[in-house]
Amino acid sequence: MVRKFCVGGNWKMNGDKATITEICKNLSSGLDPNTEVVVGVPAPYLQFAKSLLPASIGVAGQNCYKVAKGAFTGEISPAMLKDVGADWVIIGHSERRTIFGEKDDLIAEKVAHALAEGLKVIACIGETLEEREAGQTETVVFRQTKALAGAIKDWTNVVIAYEPVWAIGTGKTASPEQAQEVHQALRKWISGNVSADVAEAVRIQYGGSVTAGNCRELAAKPDIDGFLVGGASLKPEFKDIVNARQ
C-alpha cells in the first residue's frame, strides 16, 4: 500500500489576520498535489483561514474537549470546530501533555469523541529527553499508542504524529535514522496489537524541528509518512517541507 504523504502545519498560539493572510497566500499555489496538507489554526481564526485557503488544504483545530457541550469554560467541542469549517483536530500535542497536564486516558477520550463527531484526528505521541536518555522511548510511545488504540474503532481518519518532546522548538532534530527506528517500531507494535492492515495503512508523521534543510532526508525513510511542523509552518519554507517528496 502507498500511504499518501501528509504534512501538518501547527501554528500554535501565533498569528493575526495580517500574518495569516500572508501565510495563506503563500500556500495558494505550488504545493505537491500528491501531499495532503493540513494547517492547525488558533481557534479565533479558523473561519478566517478557511476562507483564504484553497479547498485542497485541510483546516484543524489545535485541541478539543471530550464532550459535545456543557459547563466547560474555555473549551471547544468537535461540533463547534466542524461548525466553523474545520475538518481536522490535533489532539495530545506534547504541549497539552506537559504544560496543561493532559494524561493518556483524557487524550484517548478526546480522540474517540472527535472521531465520533466526524473530525479527522492528528494524534500526537512522543518521549521527553529524560525518557529517551533512560532508554524508555519505546515504552513511552507504546503506552501512549495503547491508550489511543483502546479508543479507536476505525483508524481511517487517524494520523499519528510522533514528536520527540526534546526536538520540538529546540533546533534539535531526531536523525532520520532515529526517527525511522521509532516509526518502524510503532508500526510493528500496531501490527501486533491492533492489526497488520491498520499498521500498513496508518500514516505516521514525524514532528520536531523539521526544516527545509532536513525534510527531504527524513521524507525518504520508508516509515515516515509526513510531518507535523511547528515554527517552520509560519514561514515561506513550509512550502518546501510540503514538497519534500517531489
Side-chain angles (χ1 to χ4, degrees):
M1 172 182 287
V2 178
R3 295 180 293 271
K4 186 168 186 175
F5 207 64
C6 181
V7 176
N10 179 13
W11 296 353
K12 306 189 182 183
M13 197 176 73
N14 294 293
D16 52 33
K17 284 189 173 181
T19 56
I20 287 169
T21 299
E22 284 303 307
I23 293 168
C24 293
K25 190 183 298 181
N26 183 51
L27 296 177
S28 64
S29 63
L31 301 181
D32 182 351
N34 296 313
T35 294
E36 186 169 12
V37 182
V38 182
V39 288
V41 180
Y45 298 111
L46 278 163
Q47 210 159 12
F48 181 68
K50 179 83 172 179
S51 73
L52 296 177
L53 288 164
S56 59
I57 295 181
V59 174
Q62 296 178 9
N63 184 38
C64 68
Y65 198 49
K66 64 180 182 179
V67 295
K69 59 184 177 181
F72 304 102
T73 301
E75 289 294 336
I76 299 168
S77 71
M80 291 173 176
L81 291 175
K82 285 187 70 178
D83 196 40
V84 295
D87 24 37
W88 289 80
V89 63
I90 300 167
I91 297 179
H93 191 278
S94 68
E95 290 157 4
R96 299 300 314 176
R97 293 177 186 265
T98 57
I99 299 172
F100 300 103
E102 294 186 5
K103 304 298 185 189
D104 293 349
D105 56 349
L106 174 60
I107 290 161
E109 289 176 298
K110 288 183 174 191
V111 169
H113 180 58
L115 290 171
E117 290 289 300
L119 286 176
K120 301 172 194 174
V121 173
I122 296 174
C124 303
I125 60 173
E127 83 284 10
T128 65
L129 180 60
E130 292 76 20
E131 288 164 341
R132 173 168 279 269
E133 289 180 341
Q136 294 294 303
T137 294
E138 290 191 2
T139 301
V140 171
V141 297
F142 292 169
R143 185 200 77 223
Q144 293 168 337
T145 307
K146 182 179 180 181
L148 295 174
I152 298 169
K153 296 181 178 71
D154 180 356
W155 287 75
T156 307
N157 291 322
V158 178
V159 171
I160 294 175
Y162 166 61
E163 297 196 301
V165 180
W166 50 272
I168 298 173
T170 62
K172 296 179 181 177
T173 311
S175 70
E177 292 71 29
Q178 287 174 316
Q180 165 61 21
E181 184 179 1
V182 178
H183 283 229
Q184 186 177 40
L186 272 170
R187 210 175 294 284
K188 185 176 179 182
W189 186 93
I190 293 168
S191 181
N193 293 273
V194 181
S195 80
D197 288 344
V198 169
E200 180 67 22
V202 70
R203 293 175 292 178
I204 306 175
Q205 297 173 321
Y206 170 75
S209 299
V210 178
T211 66
N214 61 28
C215 63
R216 291 185 183 278
E217 196 178 356
L218 286 160
K221 295 298 181 183
D223 289 295
I224 297 179
D225 306 311
F227 305 116
L228 185 57
V229 183
S233 69
L234 300 164
K235 302 172 185 175
E237 71 173 305
F238 183 58
K239 188 181 289 189
D240 298 321
I241 297 170
V242 170
N243 295 339
R245 281 199 169 170
Q246 274 191 333

